[in-house]
């Protein structure tokens, strides 16, 4: 560690400043790791888990860096006065404060309670400021740090250079190559329910585009209103070598606009991503649980699951069920058992009615509690479970699965925030 080599001796004499410097270097290192994770170079569910955990650590280390450095240098002055001395007396510190403010803002908007209240488009564009914040923090570290020099400086430059290269590859180079090779366009638009639409995407050499059922793509539809934003969508049918199908529910401005996307619209495709695939299972038997539009990857995965698979599909009413005919036919052909968990009077399973708030995880039907799952799916502890739906419900059902004896490594889901 460069701090131990170059500055460890200063720690005893000035522990506050030493602690601040150490916290700053740890924050800088973890920021670079975060950017590498965002490139999905290691495409597993764990990257989303570690992205959230490291985000909290970055926030803590940045706070400690600012507080300890300011207090340590103040020497009797007020913290406000010392902050102004930093800004006007040290080169690149103003840039560092701006970069820090951007990174902190991104961290705050990732808190679930705040994120739920934001439009996805706002959240997405704010997260892109992570690159600007990182650039400013990097410049501050390289230009004025006395702890990072020699081989440590080379390591720091290589680390951030790697993160930048991977970001450019993921967001610019690879999508551009896919566009040039496949020329993706909307080939068909099918209305499934009043607020759910399936979009078929075709192109050249489609058999060469390798994507598995359960994976997702970042799609940018090149219309006048939507060309500037990309959103993640799971495949809702296994690829057939001719076209891809994604299914979109009108949940925000962007997804509402896609309900009327025109055939022939060009599409920029980024991906595929995700380990939510049939290859992730380790047991012979499978349980799949879907809620709302979370049925899309489950429907695609059902085409690859073994006989005896159980599918639980949670929806508020029969009118909100998507792909009913397809699911019924797949269940028959694949030897699967399909159970609809509905609130309205037309529910087939005889379960009790719950409020629509279950999409936030505050209320779930009795069939998705540990006793209900154990009764509905005998031997559930020996099954792999694929789970997809609103984040709150996924967390709650995951907890119930633990109570029912399902090991965490047998529960598969892929939150695609990155």
């Amino acid at each position: 560690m460069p701090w131990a080599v170059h500055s460890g001796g200063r720690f005893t004499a000035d522990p506050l400043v030493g602690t601040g410097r150490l916290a700053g270097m740890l924050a800088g290192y973890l920021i670079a790791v975060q950017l590498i994770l965002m490139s999905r170079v290691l495409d597993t569910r764990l990257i989303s888990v570690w992205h959230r955990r490291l985000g909290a650590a970055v926030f803590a280390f940045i706070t400690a860096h600012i507080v300890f450095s300011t207090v340590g240098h103040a020497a009797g002055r007020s913290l406000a006065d010392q902050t102004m001395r930093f800004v006007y007396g040290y080169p690149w510190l103003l840039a560092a404060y701006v970069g820090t403010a951007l990174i902190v803002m991104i961290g705050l908007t990732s808190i679930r309670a705040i994120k739920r209240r934001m439009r996805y488009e706002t959240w997405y564009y704010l997260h892109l400021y992570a690159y600007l914040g990182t650039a400013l923090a990097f410049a501050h570290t390289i230009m004025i740090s006395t702890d990072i020099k020699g081989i440590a400086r080379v390591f720091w430059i290589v680390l951030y250079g790697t993160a930048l290269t991977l970001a450019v590859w993921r967001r610019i180079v690879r999508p551009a190559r896919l566009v040039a090779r496949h020329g993706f366009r909307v080939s068909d638009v099918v209305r499934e329910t009043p607020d759910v639409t399936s979009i078929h995407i075709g192109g050249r050499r489609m058999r060469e585009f390798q994507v598995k059922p359960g994976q997702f793509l970042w799609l940018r539809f090149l219309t006048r209103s939507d060309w500037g934003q990309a959103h993640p969508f799971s495949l809702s049918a296994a690829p057939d070598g001719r076209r891809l199908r994604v299914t979109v529910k009108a949940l925000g401005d962007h997804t509402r606009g896609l309900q009327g996307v025109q055939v022939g619209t060009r599409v920029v495709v980024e991906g595929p991503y995700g380990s939510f695939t049939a290859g992730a299972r380790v047991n012979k038997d499978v349980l799949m649980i879907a809620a709302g539009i979370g049925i899309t990857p489950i429907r695609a995965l059902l085409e690859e699951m073994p006989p005896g698979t159980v599918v639980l599909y949670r929806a508020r009413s029969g009118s909100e069920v998507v792909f009913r005919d397809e699911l019924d036919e797949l269940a028959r052909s694949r030897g699967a058992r399909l159970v609809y968990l509905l609130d309205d009077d037309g529910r087939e399973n005889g379960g009790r009615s719950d409020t629509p708030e279950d999409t936030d995880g505050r209320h779930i039907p009795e069939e998705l509690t540990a006793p209900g799952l154990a009764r509905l799916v005998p031997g559930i502890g020996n099954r792999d479970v694929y789970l997809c739906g609103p984040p709150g419900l996924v967390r709650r059902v995951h907890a119930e699965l633990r109570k029912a004896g399902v090991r965490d490594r047998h529960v598969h889901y892929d939150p695609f925030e990155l």
Side-chain angles (χ1 to χ4, degrees):
M1 175 179 286
W3 176 83
V5 173
H6 299 294
S7 307
R10 305 176 192 171
F11 189 79
T12 303
D14 201 344
L16 288 177
V17 174
T19 300
R21 286 177 171 173
L22 177 59
M25 281 190 296
L26 289 173
Y29 173 74
L30 292 181
I31 288 171
V33 172
Q34 285 280 67
L35 291 180
I36 293 173
L37 288 176
M38 288 171 65
S39 73
R40 299 193 79 102
V41 64
L42 299 174
D43 195 21
T44 71
R45 193 184 77 186
L46 290 178
I47 66 170
S48 296
V49 175
W50 281 108
H51 182 69
R52 290 193 297 272
R53 291 178 179 176
L54 292 181
V58 167
F59 186 86
F61 283 130
I62 285 178
T63 301
H65 174 59
I66 294 173
V67 171
F68 282 102
S69 297
T70 305
V71 172
H73 283 92
R77 290 185 291 271
S78 69
L79 298 184
D81 183 38
Q82 182 57 44
T83 299
M84 297 308 295
R85 285 174 177 264
F86 277 154
V87 170
Y88 290 107
Y90 289 76
W92 293 99
L93 261 181
L94 179 58
Y97 276 114
V98 174
T100 297
L102 291 173
I103 293 171
V104 169
M105 173 189 67
I106 293 165
L108 291 175
T109 58
S110 296
I111 297 173
R112 286 176 181 144
I114 297 175
K115 184 179 175 181
R116 280 201 304 266
R117 291 168 171 77
M118 296 180 65
R119 293 172 63 243
Y120 175 85
E121 292 81 4
T122 302
W123 179 86
Y124 175 77
Y125 283 117
L126 284 176
H127 260 63
L128 292 182
Y129 279 104
Y131 295 109
L132 175 58
T134 299
L136 294 173
F138 172 78
H140 154 70
T141 303
I142 289 297
M143 297 302 296
I144 72 173
S145 175
T146 59
D147 300 308
I148 299 177
K149 54 187 178 182
I151 190 64
R153 183 185 178 92
V154 173
F155 168 78
W156 210 254
I157 293 172
V158 170
L159 178 65
Y160 274 82
T162 300
L164 175 62
T165 300
L166 291 173
V168 171
W169 170 260
R170 174 198 165 176
R171 296 189 179 276
I172 300 175
V173 177
R174 190 164 188 271
R177 289 181 63 191
L178 289 175
V179 166
R181 183 168 186 79
H182 298 288
F184 296 109
R185 289 178 181 268
V186 174
S187 61
D188 196 11
V189 179
V190 178
R191 182 62 59 91
E192 306 287 357
T193 71
D195 62 349
V196 175
T197 299
S198 288
I199 301 173
H200 299 258
I201 299 172
R204 302 183 297 271
R205 305 185 186 95
M206 291 299 289
R207 292 189 182 278
E208 298 176 12
F209 183 68
Q210 299 298 310
V211 56
K212 300 176 182 178
Q215 290 189 304
F216 67 92
L217 307 167
W218 282 82
L219 302 179
R220 186 185 305 271
F221 293 87
L222 301 184
T223 66
R224 181 174 298 179
S225 59
D226 296 318
W227 68 270
Q229 51 188 306
H231 288 243
F233 296 103
S234 297
L235 293 184
S236 60
D240 60 6
R242 295 181 295 110
R243 58 185 182 178
L244 309 171
R245 186 180 77 174
V246 298
T247 302
V248 182
K249 184 171 184 178
L251 296 172
D253 293 345
H254 179 71
T255 48
R256 276 193 293 271
L258 289 181
Q259 304 297 304
V261 67
Q262 297 297 308
V263 171
T265 299
R266 292 182 180 273
V267 187
V268 176
V269 175
E270 184 184 326
Y273 298 117
S275 57
F276 191 69
T277 64
R281 69 185 180 94
V282 295
N283 292 308
K284 176 183 176 182
D285 297 322
V286 175
L287 166 65
M288 298 198 291
I289 303 174
I293 199 61
I295 191 61
T296 53
I298 297 296
R299 183 258 175 258
L301 277 169
L302 184 55
E303 298 188 45
E304 294 194 342
M305 289 302 170
T309 294
V310 178
V311 181
L312 306 181
Y313 182 4
R314 165 67 175 157
R316 296 179 187 176
S317 67
S319 64
E320 294 191 3
V321 171
V322 185
F323 308 132
R324 184 161 198 149
D325 292 341
E326 293 183 22
L327 289 167
D328 290 342
E329 176 57 31
L330 274 173
R332 284 191 293 269
S333 64
R334 302 294 301 179
R337 181 160 68 96
L338 176 61
V339 181
Y340 295 98
L341 307 178
L342 309 178
D343 280 343
D344 63 11
D345 293 336
R347 60 186 179 275
E348 285 86 354
N349 63 319
R352 70 177 179 84
S353 174
D354 283 274
T355 69
E357 290 177 332
D358 64 358
T359 56
D360 293 325
R362 288 173 286 182
H363 298 85
I364 59 175
E366 190 275 336
E367 291 83 4
L368 294 182
T369 64
L373 288 166
R375 182 176 63 254
L376 198 58
V377 189
I380 189 173
N382 297 318
R383 290 177 180 263
D384 276 77
V385 180
Y386 287 78
L387 179 59
C388 191
L393 185 137
V394 167
R395 290 191 297 271
R396 176 74 182 276
V397 174
H398 191 179
E400 296 296 325
L401 288 168
R402 289 194 190 102
K403 297 176 186 177
V406 180
R407 298 180 181 179
D408 280 347
R409 66 188 182 93
H410 295 164
V411 179
H412 310 285
Y413 56 91
D414 195 0
F416 38 63
E417 288 97 348
L418 296 183

